[in-house]
Amino acid sequence: AAGAGAAAGGVAAFLGAIPLGAAAIAAGAVAVAAIAAVGVYGLLGSEDEPVAAPSPSISTPAPSETPTTAPTPTPSAPAPTPTPSPSAVPDLDRGTLLADDEADDADETTTRPAPRPTVAPTTDPGTDPTVAPPPAPAPPAVSVEVPADGLVLAAGLAGQELAFGVRNSGGTVATDLVAEVTLPTGVTVDGIAAAAVEGLGGGGFAVMAAQGWVCDGGSPVVRCTLARLAPASVAQLALKVSIDETFDGLDAQVGLRVNGAGLTYRSPGIPVRIHAAPARLALRTQPAPLTLHSGRAQQLDLDLANVGGSPLGSTAATATLQLPTGLAWAVAPGSAPWACADGAGRTVTCSLDRIAARAAAPLSLLLTAREPGEVGTHVIGLDLRPTGSRAPEHLTVPFDVVRPARLGVDGPATAALARGRGLGAALTVGNAGDVPAAGVVARLTRPAGTTWPDAPVDGWSCGPTDGVDLTCTRDGLPPGQSVALAVRVDPDAGSVGALGDLVVRVEAPGADPAAEHRVALTATAPVLTVAEPIVTLAKDATTGTVSFAVSSAGGVAAADAETVVATLTLPAALTVTDLGGPTSKWCEQVDLRHIRCAVGQLPAGATIDALVNVRWSGSAEGHVVAVASAPGAAQVSASSRVRTSSAGLSPRGRFEGGWAVTEVGAPLLTCRTSLTTCVPALQNGDRDNNSFDMVELDEGPDLPDATGERPAVRVSSAAQLDVPAGREIAFAGLYWSANIGPGDTWSGDPAVVRLRGPATAYRTLKADPTDVRVVGDNAGRQYYQAFVDVTDQVAAEGAGRWSVADAAVRATRNDPNRSYYAGWALVVVYADPGTDATVTVYDGGAWIGTSSEPPVFEFAAEARTTARIGVVGWEGDRTAVGDRLLLDGVRPLVPERWDGTTPASGANNAFDSTARGWRWSNSLGTDAKGFAPAVLSGDVSSLTATTNGDQYLIGVVTLRTQPVTTSTPADAR
């Protein structure tokens, strides 16, 4: 027995020296040591000297085996406690055993060991007894031995020991043993269990014949061979196995079939208890790649589950995340009942108290990243508890951070529009993010007074344009790029100036929208121009044409003019006969002096012309006025002055709207007051100038003036001008006149004269040559009238005593018929508030004589107005009756004397040498006066001066007209 123990210890020491899973031999075979519980046959003695072996603690005999008396073996060593080791294995079918069919079981036989012969003791050594032969040794027989507490494994562990003993209960050595171990479904073999090599020496492992099992194969059948197994000994067969975590706890069986020389053994199923895996929180699937957009909450989904076969125990499950700087978190909706809170550092710990076995427990967090440069490492750490039977594992979830698509609108804050020019706001839309913006949408709102054109934005697809709001789209905008958004808006016709804001909003799915951009729109007004009308009057007829042109200013930013209307107004002397050429297509005659042209649209830079045929009559001064207007455009006009002459008189000026006129004058030649007939002639008018040898009248004070010495023939006189104080002076004309007989000469230049106001010294004035008119009569006499505009001087000094000196008169007296005269007149137009009277001044020279038909002076004035006619005439005689001034050839006008009275002769002595403002009633050849008012019957009226023998010169005609209902102020005479 002592030897056996020593031998056993050596084997144990030998097996213990072999590392776990040390040596594989012959095509991957796994060596499993046969460990004798008490002694191993062949190691402690020879084959002929068997050694008794202890009985196993559990013995399962073969079905055909008959038990024999044998020494009780010592119990085999129990299998070591399984050690957890993580290993993933496929799902298993439970409790499946690999069994042979019934035919194989029927053929199996087990050789019973024969009883060994015994030798009876010799009772009588002196005699020769008969010696009985020793009994034959029993053949080998095998059985299986399992630990007293059975085989116990746990799901979810690798490297667990599955150990049982194979006993040779026979009396002879079992040789060439082949053991086929059938593992339950889900149990896989890893290698040699630690117990199988315990006690072997270090430095290596080599399996020798009859010293250990040699295994190969795999799950579910492992084939192990053993060269020899001594009788009454047990060979421990220990495998290292793994069970998948998904394997639920149940009772299973291990199948064992042993064949050898002369024996076949099939064990009943060996019971194995498999415990379910402990609770373990794990990720069932790896999270999808995560890209965070700065400033956006994006969801991290963690597919967590209790992958163990046991429910969560008393300790809560925890998922601890380590977040980098620049990353904020929140629990996503639907993640209850997880409860999350900030932990130490930048950790977030989420806990859950209850999770059933194999139950899912998804957890989702909303993560918001700052700008890419503000986020630390792009990795989220993850620690999960509990870990079940596995060692703790640190997981990582990588992520990336990008700026989302960030839209912006850039462009001016103001824009000027021009109708028809296609102008607008030149904007750009940019993407400042790191990802493309797909499906970019621009929402535009126009202000009132504007309209969307058919193509409001190039390169964009826009919706209907019949509303205030407009939506335009484009497919996408790559990161870092921009695209033009040139918005065109048309101002409505007439919309000018500030219109309001064009509002631009740009967005895209998943992109940061652009800040609202506003563009203050202003509309450029169309600019119209009217060319000065061109008036062409025939010299030898009373016809002519008037043409004008309307243009719309051009230029890149110029606006089209819409609904342009042009009007043409003719002065009273002109009337429309017809519309010339194509003008009739767009113009119409309103009345005799007005046409209206509906031009319509006038594009920028375009011009349109109009022409009308006219007829003129009478003497008139007026303006042909062309006016153009369009919605939003400033009304423009242009005029041309028109002067027509009649009977030698032409208009000097026309003053419309609230004016009055007066005429004053005095002679420069008179009779000698020393004659007894002179003073009565001046006072009573009983003689005329041709009744006297006319001499120079020189009564002006303060002569000479500073302009030089007086001429040799000196004349001067004064007249009183009455104008209401404070009235505006619109016109003041100084006229002077004289005559010479045949062969006579002038005393000076007829264009030069001197004028003195009520408060100033004399000033020398000179008429323009065109304003000196000279006419002759049938006797060869010459008459002149000169004109100088003195409006400024009269306006400055006003009413009072005005004096004229040193006008040219006859220097010699060669005319045998004494008819010399000289004189001057001042015609003043002044404001007449409260009336709408118009004053026209005509001047020139109309000679009235007996040798020719009297000229007919025509003038234009509106019909049904009250007209006051005034005249400046020369060489009219007080005593010569029969000269008349006829209105329209039939109505004689009644003159008014210098004191406002009507002469006894009435209308039968129109030119009777009455000069208002002089100190005598008879001026001896100068008329400056008015006639009693009369109502005009037509738009063109006429004056005809007639005579029965007197001859005279009409130099000035004044015409004041006002509506019939308006009374004529006394100071208008």
Side-chain angles (χ1 to χ4, degrees):
V11 172
F14 173 71
L15 292 175
I18 301 177
L20 180 63
I25 59 172
V30 180
V32 182
I35 304 173
V38 177
V40 181
Y41 180 79
L43 296 179
L44 303 180
S46 67
E47 295 181 6
D48 297 333
E49 298 175 349
V51 179
S55 300
S57 59
I58 300 175
S59 177
T60 305
S64 60
E65 182 179 29
T66 302
T68 59
T69 303
T72 302
T74 59
S76 60
T81 301
T83 302
S85 175
S87 175
V89 297
D91 292 338
L92 307 174
D93 296 331
R94 300 180 177 180
T96 304
L97 296 175
L98 181 62
D100 295 327
D101 54 39
E102 294 298 328
D104 292 338
D105 292 339
D107 292 339
E108 291 181 353
T109 58
T110 302
T111 304
R112 296 176 180 274
R116 294 178 63 86
T118 58
V119 179
T122 302
T123 59
D124 187 2
T127 62
D128 186 18
T130 302
V131 179
V142 296
S143 59
V144 63
E145 292 184 354
V146 296
D149 52 355
L151 300 179
V152 179
L153 299 175
L157 291 177
Q160 303 179 77
E161 291 185 356
L162 179 63
F164 54 86
V166 177
R167 170 179 289 280
N168 181 1
S169 56
T172 59
V173 176
T175 61
D176 300 326
L177 296 179
V178 177
E180 293 182 350
V181 181
T182 302
L183 300 176
T185 302
V187 180
T188 58
V189 65
D190 294 339
I192 305 170
V197 295
E198 184 179 357
L200 297 182
F205 173 65
V207 178
M208 296 177 291
Q211 290 185 352
W213 296 95
V214 177
C215 299
D216 62 8
S219 305
V221 178
V222 180
R223 186 174 180 275
C224 301
T225 62
L226 183 63
R228 52 188 295 122
L229 179 59
S233 63
V234 177
Q236 183 85 351
L237 202 164
L239 300 177
K240 184 187 292 184
V241 297
S242 296
I243 303 179
D244 188 79
E245 193 173 38
T246 61
F247 198 92
D248 288 328
L250 50 73
D251 294 331
Q253 292 181 334
V254 175
L256 177 62
R257 180 171 172 172
V258 181
N259 294 320
L263 63 87
T264 297
Y265 170 73
R266 182 178 183 276
S267 171
I270 303 171
V272 179
R273 176 62 182 171
I274 301 177
H275 293 291
R280 181 172 72 90
L281 186 64
L283 278 172
R284 294 192 299 185
T285 57
Q286 184 69 18
L290 185 62
T291 299
L292 301 179
H293 292 180
S294 297
R296 300 291 184 79
Q298 289 171 265
Q299 189 161 307
L300 169 64
D301 294 320
L302 298 176
D303 185 18
L304 299 177
N306 176 8
V307 297
S310 304
L312 195 66
S314 58
T315 302
T318 60
T320 302
L321 295 91
Q322 293 85 39
L323 303 181
T325 57
L327 203 62
W329 68 275
V331 178
S335 290
W338 284 97
C340 301
D342 286 317
R346 293 195 53 80
T347 62
V348 178
T349 299
C350 299
S351 59
L352 186 58
D353 293 334
R354 304 177 63 83
I355 309 178
R358 314 279 187 228
L363 171 62
S364 296
L365 295 180
L366 296 176
L367 302 179
T368 304
R370 295 204 293 261
E371 294 298 294
E374 300 177 13
V375 179
T377 60
H378 291 184
V379 174
I380 299 172
L382 178 63
D383 293 311
L384 302 176
R385 297 289 188 278
T387 62
S389 57
R390 299 189 180 187
E393 182 180 9
H394 180 70
L395 305 176
T396 58
V397 179
F399 66 92
D400 194 13
V401 180
V402 297
R403 294 174 300 174
R406 289 177 175 170
L407 300 176
V409 178
D410 188 26
T414 61
L417 309 179
R419 183 168 175 80
R421 299 297 93 192
L423 302 179
L427 307 175
T428 57
V429 176
N431 179 4
D434 297 325
V435 297
V440 181
V441 178
R443 305 188 190 280
L444 313 173
T445 302
R446 61 173 175 81
T450 62
T451 305
W452 298 116
D454 292 338
V457 184
D458 289 336
W460 293 67
S461 177
C462 298
T465 59
D466 56 353
V468 173
D469 298 318
L470 179 67
T471 300
C472 298
T473 61
R474 61 178 295 116
D475 291 340
L477 185 58
Q481 295 189 17
S482 60
V483 64
L485 182 70
V487 183
R488 287 187 291 273
V489 187
D490 281 341
D492 295 341
S495 293
V496 297
L499 302 178
D501 289 348
L502 168 69
V503 182
V504 181
R505 305 173 185 87
V506 178
E507 59 190 36
D512 288 347
E516 182 181 271
H517 188 83
R518 288 179 173 265
V519 183
L521 300 181
T522 58
T524 301
V527 177
L528 298 177
T529 57
V530 178
E532 182 177 318
I534 299 174
V535 181
T536 303
L537 301 179
K539 293 183 179 180
D540 55 353
T542 59
T543 59
T545 61
V546 176
S547 63
F548 67 100
V550 179
S551 301
S552 178
V556 176
D560 292 350
E562 303 285 344
T563 321
V564 179
V565 174
T567 60
L568 181 68
T569 301
L570 301 179
L574 302 182
T575 57
V576 177
T577 58
D578 61 81
L579 303 178
T583 303
S584 60
K585 296 180 180 179
W586 49 280
C587 295
E588 62 179 355
Q589 182 174 343
V590 178
D591 55 36
L592 289 177
R593 295 193 294 119
H594 297 85
I595 66 168
R596 181 181 185 277
C597 302
V599 179
Q601 183 185 30
L602 194 59
T607 299
I608 192 164
D609 299 303
L611 182 143
V612 297
N613 296 315
V614 298
R615 182 181 301 278
W616 66 273
S617 60
S619 177
E621 178 184 25
H623 289 83
V624 175
V625 181
V627 179
S629 62
Q635 179 175 290
V636 293
S637 64
S639 65
S640 294
R641 183 181 180 187
V642 178
R643 296 181 66 181
T644 58
S645 296
S646 178
L649 298 176
S650 300
R652 174 63 64 179
R654 178 180 174 85
F655 310 94
E656 298 183 1
W659 300 99
V661 62
T662 189
E663 307 88 5
V664 296
L668 291 173
L669 293 178
T670 188
C671 60
R672 295 179 184 272
T673 57
S674 59
L675 297 174
T676 58
T677 58
C678 178
V679 173
L682 295 175
Q683 291 178 341
N684 304 320
D686 54 2
R687 284 177 173 79
D688 303 316
N689 62 307
N690 46 354
S691 300
F692 296 101
D693 183 11
M694 300 288 287
V695 296
E696 294 83 2
L697 176 63
D698 187 17
E699 59 182 8
D702 302 330
L703 293 174
D705 63 6
T707 59
E709 294 296 329
R710 298 189 68 185
V713 179
R714 302 174 180 180
V715 291
S716 65
S717 62
Q720 180 69 29
L721 173 66
D722 292 327
V723 174
R727 299 290 180 89
E728 177 187 355
I729 304 299
F731 170 79
L734 176 63
Y735 298 88
W736 64 98
S737 178
N739 69 340
I740 57 176
D744 286 333
T745 59
W746 299 109
S747 64
D749 185 354
V752 176
V753 75
R754 292 179 177 178
L755 176 68
R756 179 186 184 276
T760 59
Y762 279 97
R763 296 170 53 196
T764 299
L765 306 175
K766 186 173 184 177
D768 188 273
T770 61
D771 288 326
V772 178
R773 180 70 60 87
V774 178
V775 297
D777 64 10
N778 57 350
R781 301 182 184 90
Q782 289 186 349
Y783 305 79
Y784 84 88
Q785 176 179 274
F787 162 79
V788 168
D789 190 316
V790 292
T791 303
D792 292 342
Q793 187 174 349
V794 173
E797 300 189 49
R801 183 178 177 85
W802 287 83
S803 302
V804 172
D806 297 340
V809 297
R810 51 89 190 116
T812 59
R813 302 175 186 178
N814 296 319
D815 189 353
N817 295 320
R818 296 181 297 182
S819 59
Y820 295 107
Y821 77 92
W824 64 272
L826 190 62
V827 177
V828 178
V829 178
Y830 58 92
D832 189 14
T835 71
D836 56 357
T838 296
V839 173
T840 305
V841 178
Y842 305 89
D843 60 26
W847 178 252
I848 310 300
T850 58
S851 61
S852 62
E853 289 292 326
V856 178
F857 170 69
E858 293 183 325
F859 62 93
E862 293 184 8
R864 297 178 303 279
T865 60
T866 300
R868 180 264 189 194
I869 305 295
V871 297
V872 173
W874 313 105
E875 229 285 82
D877 294 331
R878 172 69 62 91
T879 63
V881 296
D883 49 321
R884 299 188 300 173
L885 185 63
L886 302 177
L887 178 63
D888 296 330
V890 296
R891 291 188 290 167
L893 299 179
V894 178
E896 294 179 339
R897 292 286 175 85
W898 65 279
D899 58 357
T901 63
T902 300
S905 57
N908 206 29
N909 193 0
F911 298 92
D912 61 354
S913 294
T914 297
R916 292 192 63 186
W918 194 48
R919 56 191 177 92
W920 299 105
S921 66
N922 185 5
S923 65
L924 299 177
T926 299
D927 276 288
K929 63 187 179 184
F931 290 78
V935 177
L936 302 180
S937 59
D939 289 337
V940 177
S941 303
S942 65
L943 291 175
T944 305
T946 64
T947 181
N948 283 337
D950 193 10
Q951 297 186 110
Y952 49 90
L953 175 66
I954 298 178
V956 180
V957 173
T958 64
L959 172 67
R960 178 180 185 269
T961 60
Q962 65 178 10
V964 177
T965 56
T966 303
S967 61
T968 304
D971 57 23
R973 299 173 186 176

